[in-house]
Amino acid sequence: MRTDDLIAVLARDARPAQGAVGRALGAAVLTALAGSIVVMMAGWGPRPHLAQALATGPFWMKAGYTAAVAIAGLLLIERLGRPGVSGRRGWLALSIPVAVIAALAIRELSALPHDQWAAAILGQTWDRCPLRIAVISIPAFIAALWALRRMAPTRPRLAGAAAGLMAGGIGASVYGLNCQETAAAFTAVWYTLGMLVWAAVGAALGGRLLRW
């Protein structure tokens, strides 16, 4: 069979396959969110006065950042899960919230005396935040890998990293319902570190778990 004929055969049912991929990704997101909420509620529960926190800027600053990372991870999964499709759009989507939170952190620190920088960066829970995000993200990581295994990633390490980014973003978003830290500098450092845990694990395991 000639190469052109093979491509034609593979592309013949492309539309139904894309529909199946969309359903798999949708199921993965819902499962990831539900599983992460269950872990957070079982382990730590929501923060006190959550209703009041929902009316504050710092809460939505954190939620916007982590949700944007999760969306970028989902976009990367959708792109990297298909042969020959560039992930550039997903990486661009990821760079925007990272740049925004970095700018907010720098602006925040520049308005503080140097002797208050450590308090802004470390907060009260720096030693617990990344670990809790990583734990809460476990169901999301499993769901993201499940979705990718139903696709055809040809760059398994990058695809695994994308799964970890989506999982970390969802886990960090759910953790925001528990966390009482308000500083952008804290979010930029420790939330980012927590979200990168599964991205690193995904990159390490992707070559074995996502190869086909």
Side-chain angles (χ1 to χ4, degrees):
M1 179 182 291
R2 294 184 304 169
T3 302
D4 291 344
D5 295 334
L6 177 59
I7 293 173
V9 170
L10 293 175
R12 185 176 301 158
D13 298 321
R15 188 169 299 174
Q18 289 176 1
V21 167
R23 289 191 295 272
L25 289 176
V29 171
L30 292 176
T31 302
L33 186 59
S36 293
I37 290 174
V38 168
V39 172
M40 187 276 292
M41 293 297 292
W44 301 281
R47 58 170 289 176
H49 313 297
L50 177 60
Q52 290 91 327
L54 291 172
T56 64
F59 178 90
W60 292 109
M61 175 269 297
K62 292 189 296 184
Y65 172 50
T66 56
V69 172
I71 292 170
L74 177 63
L75 179 57
L76 280 167
I77 289 174
E78 190 273 334
R79 306 293 289 178
L80 296 173
R82 292 185 287 158
V85 178
S86 172
R88 183 177 303 175
R89 189 181 303 174
W91 297 120
L92 176 61
L94 177 64
S95 69
I96 294 173
V98 171
V100 169
I101 196 66
L104 290 174
I106 292 170
R107 178 184 177 185
E108 179 181 77
L109 292 175
S110 66
L112 295 174
H114 287 183
D115 60 359
Q116 295 182 25
W117 284 16
I121 294 172
L122 296 177
Q124 301 295 319
T125 59
W126 67 271
D127 56 340
R128 302 188 290 278
C129 174
L131 178 60
R132 290 184 179 182
I133 289 174
V135 171
I136 292 170
S137 302
I138 291 174
F141 184 66
I142 295 171
L145 284 182
W146 172 84
L148 270 171
R149 286 179 63 86
R150 296 175 67 87
M151 302 171 71
T154 56
R155 291 153 289 180
R157 291 188 181 277
L158 284 178
L165 284 172
M166 190 193 87
I170 290 175
S173 297
V174 173
Y175 176 64
L177 300 174
N178 169 270
C179 177
Q180 300 185 57
E181 303 286 355
T182 60
F186 180 94
T187 302
V189 175
W190 304 109
Y191 270 65
T192 300
L193 181 60
M195 290 188 287
L196 287 176
V197 168
W198 287 111
V201 173
L205 296 180
R208 294 170 53 191
L209 298 181
L210 301 175
R211 193 174 299 279
W212 57 285

